Amino acid sequence: AHRPQRAQTTPHPVRPLQISNWTTAPMAATSSPSTAAAAMWAFAAAACVKLLLVPTYRSTDFDVHRYWLALTHALPARQWYTDASSEWTLDYPPFFAYFSRLLSLPAPFVDASLVDIPVPAAPPSSAYILYLRLTVAFSDLLLLASILLLARDARRRQRPFLALLLVLWSPALLIVDHIHFQYNGFLMGLLLLSLHFLEQGKDLAGGVVFAALLCSKHLFLVAAPVYFVYLFRHYCCGRGLARGLGRLVLMGAGVVAVFAMAFAPFVYYGQVSWSVNSVWNWMFLHDHLVIVVTIISF
């Protein structure tokens, strides 16, 4: 018996599973909510927690930055690294001293004793504590801006950006900056801004921003070997001898210019030997970290 043939039908294509949770999947160009809105909400929530931490424990680093704030406001730059009116002498690179100077400008309008040298021995007032706590929280705006830039890069390249948003809620930053009292969120913002420029292919700008970070806190010297290897291979190599050498000179000139802006005034005032010795001592104590990071970078 002749069997009737079935009509040929085109099977429906199997669609891949679509994950609608924007926090676990890469963001598409039309996804909602937007990257910026998510980051802003995360930052606002973290800011509320930081305000609740104002009256919490503060270590001797609070006294250190309290003194540095007054030092950079009340004394000229030629005395910043030689003043001995406090045991908490300034031992950060010059750009951080300039940063402290910037933070000190509104201080007299809050409490005149904030910028007195020598620093009063009496316990700080509540307004005093609030002002210094808010300077840390306010400086985190640079961290927010850098995360927004990197999240935009991740969105355009179809990459997850949840890890970037979680930086705003980093327990380490909350504990070290907003309880222990530091400004590492601001410094981390500089590092992430440098990484944004590298992500954009703007290696020269990324190297210059990282040099500014080194002139703000020498702790980031541990990442210098990684930056050197990456910039040398990505920015200078594979472009011919003449062009590669020209790029190496250009990058070197940019880095030297940043260090000159940071250290030139203190060279003029005769304080550079102290600064160089401090950085060298720190590098000697942490040379094992530099070696490890160098091996990883290769």
Side-chain angles (χ1 to χ4, degrees), residues 133-200:
R133 291 288 198 189
L134 289 180
T135 60
V136 181
F138 180 78
S139 65
D140 283 348
L141 287 173
L142 179 61
L143 178 63
L144 172 63
S146 300
I147 286 177
L148 285 174
L149 291 172
L150 279 173
R152 186 184 64 182
D153 297 339
R155 180 179 181 181
R156 186 177 60 253
R157 296 173 182 269
Q158 301 295 297
R159 297 174 182 170
F161 65 88
L162 176 61
L164 294 171
L165 297 184
L166 291 179
V167 172
L168 297 172
W169 271 95
S170 168
L173 287 179
L174 287 176
I175 294 172
V176 175
D177 280 16
H178 302 280
I179 298 179
H180 181 76
F181 198 86
Q182 285 283 344
Y183 290 90
N184 290 304
F186 168 77
L187 298 168
M188 186 63 67
L190 277 178
L191 178 63
L192 295 182
L193 180 61
S194 173
L195 294 178
H196 161 69
F197 285 129
L198 297 185
E199 179 78 9
Q200 292 288 312

Side-chain angles (χ1 to χ4, degrees), residues 256-276:
V256 169
V258 171
F259 275 81
M261 286 189 293
F263 288 93
F266 303 99
V267 173
Y268 178 77
Y269 296 136
Q271 300 181 40
V272 70
S273 60
W274 182 93
S275 300
V276 170

Side-chain angles (χ1 to χ4, degrees), residues 65 68-75 80 94-110 114-115 131-132 134-136 138-139 142 183 186:
H65 290 284
W68 291 359
L69 196 77
L71 170 74
T72 54
H73 187 278
L75 298 180
W80 287 357
F95 275 176
F96 195 90
Y98 300 150
F99 173 66
S100 294
R101 167 67 179 175
L102 182 63
L103 295 180
S104 73
L105 295 180
F109 300 101
V110 177
L114 271 166
V115 291
Y131 179 79
L132 282 178
L134 289 180
T135 60
V136 181
F138 180 78
S139 65
L142 179 61
Y183 290 90
F186 168 77

